[in-house]
C-alpha cells in the first residue's frame, strides 16, 4: 500500500490548526513584514507562503467535505460558514498583499523563469482580479451556494415502501417494466417541483451576486470574470461558442437518430424521458455492486490487475477514510475529487448506487 505523502511542515508548527483568526493573524503579519534580501530568501519565503496556503486550503477543504457529506448536520454547517464568513474575508486582502510583495520584489527576476512561469502568471492574474469590494460578496456566494446542497440533499421519494434518494430512484429508469419507469419518473419530477421556487430564488440571488463580482472587477459579466479567475489562458469563450455550434451541428442530429433507433427497438409509439436509459433488448440492468464497500473492493481488485499502482492509491484512500461513495438522504448530490495539498491524498465524493 502506498503511504500518505503528507507534506512535512517547515514553517508552521506541526500541531498548527485554525480555530479562529487569532491562529493566523500573526503568521500573515510575519510573512508580510519579513525582509527579503536575495533570490534564495525570496524562494524560502515563497515556500513558507505556500505551506500556509496549503494548510488553510486543507482546513477549508475538510469543513466543506464534512458539510457536503451530511448537509443536515447543523454543527458541520456552522463550521463551514464560520470559515467562509470569518476566516476567508480576513485572508483575502492579506493574500493580495503577499502576491504584490512577491511580484514587486527586485529578486523575482532572478528566479528560474521556466520553473516559476505558470505560478507567477497565476499570482499576477489574482492581483489583477482582486477587488476589496468583492470580499464580502464572495463570502455571501459561498454561504448561498451550500444552500443548493442542503435543499437537494433532502430530496427523496417513497416507492414500494422504501425511501429513495433521487440517485437511488434513477436506477429504476433502467427497469424493463415501462410502467415502473414512468411511475418513478413522475414521483421524481413531483419532488423536484416542490423545491422549484426555492431553487429558482436561490439561483436569482446567486446570479445577482456573481454578476456584481464580475462588474466590480471590470468585466461585462460574471462569465468573462470566471474565465480569468479559473486561469483559462489557453482558450476563450469564443472557442466554447464554436464548440457548442459543432455539437449542435453534428451531435444533436446524431443523438436524435439514436433516440429514433431506440424507439424502434423498444417498439414504442412515443418515446418519453423514462425510455432513454432502459436496455433496448429488454434485459435487466447490470448489478455490479450492492454497497459502497463492495464497489471499492471490486475497484481495487480490478486496478490491481490492470495497474497495481492505482489499486494501491485507492487502498491508501480507503485506509485514510478519504472516500464517501454511497448515496443517502442528507448527502449533497453529484460528485467531486477534492485536492488536499497538505495530506497529499485527495478526497473522492460521489453518489454511487448499485441497487
Amino acid at each position: 500500500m502506498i503511504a500518505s505523502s503528507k507534506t512535512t511542515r517547515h514553517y508552521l508548527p506541526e500541531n498548527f490548526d485554525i480555530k479562529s483568526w487569532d491562529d493566523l493573524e500573526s503568521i500573515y503579519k510575519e510573512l508580510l513584514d519579513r525582509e527579503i534580501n536575495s533570490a534564495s530568501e525570496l524562494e524560502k519565503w515563497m515556500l513558507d507562503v505556500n505551506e500556509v496556503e496549503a494548510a488553510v486550503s486543507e482546513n477549508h477543504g475538510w469543513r466543506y467535505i464534512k458539510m457536503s457529506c451530511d448537509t443536515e448536520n447543523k454543527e458541520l454547517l456552522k463550521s463551514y460558514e464560520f470559515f467562509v464568513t470569518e476566516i476567508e474575508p480576513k485572508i483575502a486582502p492579506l493574500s493580495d498583499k503577499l502576491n504584490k510583495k512577491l511580484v514587486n520584489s527586485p529578486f523575482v527576476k532572478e528566479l528560474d523563469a521556466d520553473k516559476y512561469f505558470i505560478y507567477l502568471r497565476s499570482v499576477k492574474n489574482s492581483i489583477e482580479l482582486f477587488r476589496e469590494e468583492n470580499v464580502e460578496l464572495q463570502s455571501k456566494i459561498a454561504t448561498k451556494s451550500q444552500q443548493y446542497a442542503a435543499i437537494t440533499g433532502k430530496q427523496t421519494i417513497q416507492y414500494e415502501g422504501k425511501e429513495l434518494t433521487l440517485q437511488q430512484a434513477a436506477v429504476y429508469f433502467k427497469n424493463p417494466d415501462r410502467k415502473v419507469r414512468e411511475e418513478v419518473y413522475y414521483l421524481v419530477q413531483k419532488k423536484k417541483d416542490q423545491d422549484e421556487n426555492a431553487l429558482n430564488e436561490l439561483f436569482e440571488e446567486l446570479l445577482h451576486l456573481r454578476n456584481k463580482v464580475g462588474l466590480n472587477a471590470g468585466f461585462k459579466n460574471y462569465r468573462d470574470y470566471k474565465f480569468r479567475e479559473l486561469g483559462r489562458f489557453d482558450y476563450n469563450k469564443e472557442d466554447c461558442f464554436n464548440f457548442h455550434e459543432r455539437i449542435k451541428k453534428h451531435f444533436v442530429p446524431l443523438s436524435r437518430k439514436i433516440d429514433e433507433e431506440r424507439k424502434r427497438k423498444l417498439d414504442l409509439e412515443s418515446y418519453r424521458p423514462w425510455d432513454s436509459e432502459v436496455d433496448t433488448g429488454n434485459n435487466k440492468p447490470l448489478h455490479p455492486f450492492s454497497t459502497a464497500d463492495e464497489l471499492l473492493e471490486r475497484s481495487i481488485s480490478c486496478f490491481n490487475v490492470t495497474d497495481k499502482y492505482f489499486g494501491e492509491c485507492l487502498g491508501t484512500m480507503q485506509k485514510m477514510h478519504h472516500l464517501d461513495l454511497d448515496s443517502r438522504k442528507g448527502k449533497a448530490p453529484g460528485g467531486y475529487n477534492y485536492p488536499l495539498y497538505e495530506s497529499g491524498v485527495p478526497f473522492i465524493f460521489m453518489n454511487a448506487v448499485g441497487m
Side-chain angles (χ1 to χ4, degrees), residues 258-270:
I258 291 172
D259 286 343
E260 285 298 322
E261 181 64 14
R262 286 181 55 80
K263 177 183 173 182
R264 184 188 66 77
K265 288 182 176 180
L266 290 168
D267 193 25
L268 300 174
E269 292 185 8
S270 62

Side-chain angles (χ1 to χ4, degrees), residues 77-138:
L77 172 61
K78 183 179 178 181
S79 172
Y80 172 75
E81 290 187 338
F82 169 78
F83 193 95
V84 299
T85 60
E86 299 296 328
I87 301 296
E88 279 189 325
K90 292 181 174 68
I91 289 176
L94 298 183
S95 291
D96 182 59
K97 290 180 180 179
L98 289 174
N99 287 338
K100 289 175 179 175
K101 178 171 181 169
L102 170 59
V103 299
N104 292 330
S105 170
F107 304 105
V108 74
K109 296 179 181 178
E110 298 180 28
L111 298 176
D112 186 318
D114 292 332
K115 179 179 179 181
Y116 288 109
F117 169 74
I118 292 178
Y119 175 69
L120 290 174
R121 181 178 66 176
S122 175
V123 169
K124 292 173 183 176
N125 188 53
S126 295
I127 292 172
E128 292 174 8
L129 292 179
F130 180 77
R131 299 293 186 279
E132 188 79 40
E133 58 268 36
N134 279 342
V135 173
E136 184 179 354
L137 292 174
Q138 297 285 16

